Amino acid sequence: DARTCYDHLAGKLGVQLTEALTNAGYIKLEDKQFVLTDEGTLFFTTFGLDLAAVKRKRRSFSHACLDWSERRYHLAGALGSELLNHLLSLGWLTRVPSIRAIKVTEKGRTGFKEIFQIDC
């Protein structure tokens, strides 16, 4: 179950990805904001995100968004948006003819398993 919430990944996959990033020590939840750790800065940069450009955006960097279906947080803000765009550009996810539906591709199933230990 993958979908978007505004411009970031949500649903079961969004929550699983956020939990994987938290469990790996890349982000940590502090007062409804996800804070990027030093390890997270290295990870996201190596993964291909331009964090300097993301930080320049005039919006929240990485806040916690409560998922209405999962009742747990997923990553929102500029970082959540950039991560979704990057996953789409990698071909891990594709949009389907729906307002918010997202489909995980075969390449994505492999990538999510290898990088984040998520079975989708």
Side-chain angles (χ1 to χ4, degrees):
D1 161 21
R3 61 178 173 77
T4 60
C5 175
Y6 299 101
D7 64 351
H8 54 271
L9 190 60
K12 183 178 179 181
L13 181 58
V15 168
Q16 287 178 316
L17 181 56
T18 301
E19 289 177 352
L21 292 168
T22 303
N23 292 340
Y26 301 147
I27 58 175
K28 59 184 176 179
L29 184 61
E30 290 183 3
D31 197 28
K32 296 190 181 176
Q33 295 287 321
F34 284 107
V35 177
L36 193 60
T37 65
D38 291 341
E39 294 84 2
T41 298
L42 179 60
F43 169 77
F44 283 113
T45 302
T46 303
F47 193 57
L49 274 68
D50 182 351
L51 292 179
V54 175
K55 288 179 181 178
R56 283 193 300 270
K57 295 187 179 190
R58 294 181 161 229
R59 61 183 295 188
S60 163
F61 177 70
S62 57
H63 67 271
C65 185
L66 184 62
D67 196 273
W68 59 268
S69 61
E70 299 296 314
R71 306 307 304 161
R72 296 190 321 240
Y73 290 117
H74 57 254
L75 179 63
L79 182 59
S81 176
E82 188 64 25
L83 182 56
L84 172 60
N85 290 335
H86 189 63
L87 294 169
L88 288 164
S89 72
L90 289 173
W92 288 21
L93 301 173
T94 186
R95 295 187 187 273
V96 295
S98 163
I99 294 174
R100 294 192 264 178
I102 296 283
K103 180 180 178 189
V104 180
T105 65
E106 283 304 314
K107 185 177 182 182
R109 288 185 212 296
T110 301
F112 281 112
K113 179 69 175 170
E114 288 178 1
I115 305 293
F116 301 104
Q117 292 72 53
I118 296 174
D119 288 313
C120 17

